[in-house]
Amino acid sequence: QVHLVESGGGLVQPGGSLRLSCAASGSNLYSMGWYRQAPGKQRELVARITSGGSTNYAESVKGRFTISRDNAKNTVYLQMNSLKPEDTAVYYCNTAPNYNLSWGQGTQVTVSS
């Protein structure tokens, strides 16, 4: 079973940037995604990357977020720029578009002045 560990979250002002990382415990050649869950809302998929590097994004983050991966390091990244208060959420990674692995603990992103 592959275990996922997310990191890189924090408190940032509107307009700021963060880079999230998702490290997998074993070989990870799956199509992967970053999900987020805001308080009182359902978890949503915001970015996806295939094993070959093709990407797609939710409309709400398109042009601001960039997903990437390093298969040699079994790690997936999410570069988040021009952050908005509505990006505040716990961010998770998992296979995408359907999550098939156990969820990690997530990493909290808070965008506030």
Side-chain angles (χ1 to χ4, degrees):
Q1 175 74 342
V2 175
H3 296 284
L4 303 169
V5 179
E6 302 92 348
S7 62
L11 173 63
V12 63
Q13 291 186 343
S17 298
L18 284 173
R19 188 192 194 207
L20 307 183
S21 297
C22 167
S25 61
S27 178
N28 178 18
L29 298 178
Y30 305 110
S31 176
M32 295 294 294
W34 281 97
Y35 300 75
R36 69 184 181 187
Q37 186 167 23
K41 295 187 177 181
Q42 288 191 331
R43 197 168 298 184
E44 61 171 341
L45 177 64
V46 297
R48 176 191 173 198
I49 186 166
T50 67
S51 58
S54 297
T55 60
N56 50 46
Y57 301 90
E59 283 299 320
S60 58
V61 307
K62 196 172 291 185
R64 300 188 298 120
F65 290 10
T66 302
I67 188 171
S68 61
R69 68 191 300 160
D70 185 333
N71 289 336
K73 295 182 178 180
N74 297 322
T75 301
V76 179
Y77 305 97
L78 186 67
Q79 177 67 43
M80 306 187 296
N81 298 329
S82 302
L83 282 161
K84 304 176 181 180
E86 51 264 44
D87 295 318
T88 294
V90 181
Y91 284 71
Y92 304 85
C93 62
N94 210 314
T95 55
N98 301 307
Y99 53 89
N100 295 316
L101 302 176
S102 297
W103 293 101
Q105 83 288 350
T107 186
Q108 175 72 47
V109 172
T110 303
V111 185
S112 175
S113 55

